[in-house]
Amino acid sequence: MKEEMSSVDIRYILRELQRLVGSRVDKIYHDGNEIRIKLRTKEGRQDLILEAGKRFHVTTYIKEAPKMPSSFTMLLRKHLSGGFIDAIEQHDFDRIVKIKVGDYTLIGELFRRGNIILVDSENRIIAALRYEEFKDRAIKPKAEYKFPPARENPLDVEWERFKELILEEDAEVVRALARKLNMGGLYAEEILLRAGMDKKKKASELSEEELKLIFNTMKALFNKEPKPNIVFKDSAMIDVLPIELKWYEGYEREYFSTFSEALDEYFGKITVEKARLEQTKKLEGKKRQLLMTLKKQEEMLKGFEEQARANQELGDLIYANFTLIENLLSEFRKAVEKLGWEEFKRRIEEGKKAGNKVALMVKSIDPKEKAVTIELDGKKIRLYLTKSIGENAELYYEKAKKAKHKLEGALKAYEDTKRKLKEVEKLIEEEMKKELSVKKLERRKKKWFEKFRWFVSSEGFLVLAGKDASTNENLIKKHMNENDLYCHADVYGAPHVVIKDGQNAGEKTLFEACQFAVSMSKAWSQGLYSADAYWAYPSQVTKQAPSGEYMGKGAFMVYGKRNWFHGLPLKLAVGVINYEGEDFVVCAPVDATRTYTDRYIVIRPGSLKKSELVKRIKRILGKWGYKVREEDIMAVLPPGNGDIVEVVGA
């Protein structure tokens, strides 16, 4: 089963993750060998996982953050939080990734045990997951970070160099490829399979034609279009790949739209399984001990049952052959008294040779115990010459009785162990039902209007506002129709606002949309309590600039009459409403919010940091039974700080 990404995997994932360039680093979490970077991207929140020696991809499997952040976490947060990703790169064709954030670079070493290192603009080490020294480099604070010795890149290698590398290797061609060109065994096998070559052929014996075939096949494979998939054998995952390989022909495969999704599903499930094992580790150990005890007790029960049965049968056998055994005891006593034990033994042996029936019954003689063991009906009976026939039988009955007594005790202990086992199994079952420390974030498919800021007016009209230059441009060009209305605040940098089907809306909706426009503008972050806004018809809004001027991205001109609202209050309400069959957290004018919910939080511009405001709103919504993520609240709030002025429905 695959446990870490290859150089080929890293090449494909790095190509895919270029979409994260420009994303903002919100927060960083560290646990063991992993760091998780919480990003704010164009598509919303994304979590980037980097595990030393293992993997690098976007993840939806979120591990519960440690209660106390490590010193490594704090250093990473100090230097990277709030920064923007400038580049994500692979070092040469090695298992090393570089994430550049401003003046800093986070380096993830995914080979062997791996490491995660933060360096500054001069390539000096600020912090590392672990500090260590090697023959040719050292990972320690303030030291210059040096990459491991360079290895050959199969993507860039020229024909002549390729030929030289393979021919100088005195080994099988599959090993030569894997070693010399840093691709690993699987891809070396795949190249030779596609080329139809015998992988065991000596590399030094390859002809020029064969070498050329291998070279061209290698180049074609590593430029193959992605087809991310997980490979299964007997329903168990065994590999995750960015491309389809002939090596796994006939295996069950599951395909994904992105390699990151495939990696996340593969490693995420492994992580969840590890978390489950960790969660029940002690209980499973106790269960194993109880099962071993149970097995021993079952063996003991069988032993006691057998002892009780065998001794009972021997006692019964003595009484069933009363006359015979009584005569034997009498004869043996007389013989011993007359001859002594040694002569008695000698006479028995002679009797056996002569075929004497009584002598043949004797199996052993014990002078010390004054006992003779005979065989009767295939069973051996030990007879003590100093005891009567009744006393000899009683010895066996007493043994049977003791064995039965032990059996009863063992049975009680056995039942007790079974009860304990059931209790432990129940506890394991309960633990399995508990929420794991690793959980998969199920991302629902967002509605089209969630690309924008939005609310539903008290009259039931959908109102949309841009979030930035791109969404402002998109809103006006693609989503404003002739039957809509346009609103804008008299504030520089305010968002464009569109009332869908607005020409059928009443005065109340117009007021709410204009109030939304001023509240979502920079007037909020400036701490203003009121501002002006107007509405106009779509035909008045155009990209056509006055002569000599240029309209930038997200900018539009409004010509003709503007219908003004003056002194609009910057005041909004946060609540959870149901719209189109789903629950959404919204931030809208107070009248619009209270139309759809009895519980809401009224906010105005203020001194409370936006992050703290989000936390307080989340706590209130949580008390009302709404489990809302902080990033979802953050996304709907206006820009800048604020204060809670009223909580309705508490």
Side-chain angles (χ1 to χ4, degrees), residues 329-353:
L329 278 169
S330 177
E331 290 300 320
F332 291 160
R333 286 191 198 107
K334 287 175 184 175
V336 169
E337 283 173 13
K338 184 180 178 182
L339 303 171
W341 283 101
E342 286 305 315
E343 183 60 24
F344 174 67
K345 281 173 77 175
R346 193 182 66 76
R347 293 280 183 95
I348 290 292
E349 290 303 317
E350 283 180 356
K352 285 182 182 180
K353 288 174 185 176

Side-chain angles (χ1 to χ4, degrees), residues 318-319 322 329 387-397:
I318 289 171
Y319 278 112
F322 190 91
L329 278 169
K387 297 183 185 295
S388 68
I389 186 170
E391 287 172 332
N392 272 292
E394 191 57 36
L395 284 174
Y396 285 110
Y397 286 138

Side-chain angles (χ1 to χ4, degrees), residues 1-11 13 33 50-57 94-96 109-115 151 183-187 238-242 248 259 263 266-267 270 274:
M1 186 178 186
K2 184 174 191 165
E3 291 186 357
E4 68 277 322
M5 292 173 70
S6 68
S7 297
V8 180
D9 295 337
I10 292 166
R11 175 178 179 265
I13 195 64
N33 281 333
L50 174 57
E51 184 176 0
K54 297 281 183 186
R55 58 184 175 135
F56 177 61
H57 56 86
D94 214 337
R95 288 190 288 165
I96 297 175
E109 296 182 345
L110 304 185
F111 51 85
R112 293 190 295 274
R113 191 164 68 135
N115 208 339
R151 299 172 73 186
M183 66 177 69
L186 176 65
Y187 286 98
I238 59 167
D239 209 343
V240 56
L241 302 157
Y248 287 124
F259 189 34
L263 288 165
Y266 182 86
F267 286 109
I270 292 171
K274 281 181 182 174

